Amino acid sequence: MRTLLLTATIAAMLTLAACSSDDDGGDQSAAQIGSLSENATYAYIDDGGAGLYDYLATSVTDQCTKDQVNDTFQDGPNVTGWRQIKDIELTGNDATATVIVIVDGEDEDQPWTFAREADSWRISSLPGLEECTE
C-alpha cells in the first residue's frame, strides 16, 4: 500500500512539474510554437497562402494582404503534411525553429521564425514569405 501511495505521489509531482513552465515559459512557448506550426501547415494545405494568413505575425500582415500572401504561395511547394518541429530557440519575444514538412512525399527541413504577440505566437518568416514582405 505504501508503494502504491509513494508511486501516486511521485506521479503527481512529475505531472505538476511537466505542467509548470520555467521562468521564461520556455516549455509552454515551445508547445505553442509546435502547435502553431502544425496548424499553419495544414491550413496552407487546405487553402494555400490564404489559409496561412491567419497565423502570420502583425509585422507580416502590416505589409501583405491576404491576397498577396495567397499569390505569393500560389506556385509554392506541394506540401502534403507536417512531420515535426525541432531545434526551437527562444530569445525573448522571438523564436526560431526547424519545421519539417512533407513535400512531394519527402521530408523537408524549413527554417521558420516566430514572434510573440500578446499571449500567443505568430509566424514572422518561413520560406517563400520574403517575396511578399520585401
Side-chain angles (χ1 to χ4, degrees):
M1 185 65 147
R2 277 195 233 196
T3 304
L4 182 59
L5 182 58
L6 181 59
T7 302
T9 303
I10 291 171
M13 291 171 67
L14 290 173
T15 300
L16 286 173
C19 291
S20 65
S21 61
D22 55 11
D23 289 342
D24 67 356
D27 292 342
Q28 184 178 12
S29 289
Q32 290 173 352
I33 289 168
S35 180
L36 169 66
S37 70
E38 182 175 12
N39 291 337
T41 299
Y42 286 108
Y44 172 76
I45 291 168
D46 290 343
D47 201 21
L52 185 63
Y53 191 80
D54 292 335
Y55 298 92
L56 299 176
T58 304
S59 61
V60 177
T61 59
D62 284 349
Q63 296 181 52
C64 307
T65 66
K66 190 177 221 177
D67 288 338
Q68 288 173 315
V69 173
N70 194 48
D71 290 348
T72 297
F73 287 99
Q74 187 169 8
D75 296 323
N78 183 29
V79 178
T80 57
W82 178 91
R83 178 77 64 205
Q84 73 178 55
I85 190 168
K86 64 181 184 177
D87 304 327
I88 299 172
E89 293 191 23
L90 301 168
T91 309
N93 288 327
D94 296 308
T96 60
T98 300
V99 177
I100 303 172
V101 295
I102 304 165
V103 178
D104 294 323
E106 300 288 327
D107 287 359
E108 181 178 297
D109 289 12
Q110 295 185 346
W112 289 26
T113 61
F114 305 85
R116 186 163 185 75
E117 295 181 357
D119 291 335
S120 64
W121 288 90
R122 297 284 185 220
I123 300 165
S124 54
S125 177
L126 57 90
L129 190 58
E130 65 277 354
E131 291 179 34
C132 179
T133 58
E134 292 180 342

